[in-house]
């Protein structure tokens, strides 16, 4: 059974940083693309970053240049470094596993997410 466990969220001031982590189990981590998505209060789910099985990355316009996705295949862990945080980055953050080596923007959510709150 695929399991994804997100961690690292918290409350930070605007301009601050956080590092999110997502531990995967129940599948061969290095064979799959992974993504991060988020849901702001009252808004739809938003894809924000993806990495394919080779480590190539892509970002939404809303986070490009501020967030960095990375993966440690030996540890079956996906990361998201968040910098220069803005109040509009507030929300629940989830990692997802794609069905193959290329990332998918609508992969199902299986974890509980981690909450990021940006507030002064």
């Amino acid at each position: 059974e695929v399991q994804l466990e997100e961690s690292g969220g918290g409350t930070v001031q605007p301009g601050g940083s956080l590092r999110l982590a997502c531990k995967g189990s129940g599948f061969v981590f290095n064979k799959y693309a992974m993504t991060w998505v988020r849901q702001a209060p009252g808004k739809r789910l938003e894809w924000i970053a993806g990495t394919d099985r080779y480590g190539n990355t892509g970002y939404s316009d809303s986070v490009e240049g501020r967030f960095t996705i990375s993966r440690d295949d030996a540890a079956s862990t996906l990361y998201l470094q968040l910098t220069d945080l803005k109040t509009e980055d507030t929300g629940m953050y989830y990692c997802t596993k794609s069905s193959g080596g290329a990332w998918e923007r609508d992969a199902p959510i299986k974890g509980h997410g981690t909450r990021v709150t940006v507030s002064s």
Side-chain angles (χ1 to χ4, degrees):
E1 179 188 2
V2 172
Q3 293 189 330
L4 299 169
E5 183 175 357
E6 301 92 344
S7 62
T11 300
V12 296
Q13 293 185 339
S17 299
L18 284 172
R19 190 190 195 202
L20 309 184
C22 167
K23 174 73 173 177
S25 60
F27 63 102
V28 182
F29 193 86
N30 65 10
K31 292 189 180 298
Y32 295 93
M34 301 289 294
T35 74
W36 286 97
V37 298
R38 70 182 179 187
Q39 188 165 29
K43 296 191 175 181
R44 298 174 63 180
L45 208 60
E46 175 191 15
W47 174 88
I48 55 173
T51 177
D52 66 17
R53 61 176 295 189
Y54 304 108
N56 298 306
T57 60
Y59 301 91
S60 68
D61 290 344
S62 61
V63 308
E64 177 90 54
R66 300 189 298 122
F67 293 5
T68 303
I69 187 172
S70 62
R71 60 191 299 159
D72 181 346
D73 289 342
S76 298
T77 302
L78 180 73
Y79 297 100
L80 188 68
Q81 180 72 44
L82 291 64
T83 63
D84 190 22
L85 281 160
K86 305 177 181 181
T87 55
E88 53 263 43
D89 294 318
T90 294
M92 286 296 292
Y93 285 68
Y94 305 88
C95 67
T96 70
K97 168 191 166 294
S98 298
S99 60
W103 68 73
E104 296 158 354
R105 299 185 180 219
D106 57 352
I109 290 174
K110 293 185 177 293
H112 296 293
T114 187
R115 185 177 300 277
V116 172
T117 302
V118 184
S119 174
S120 55

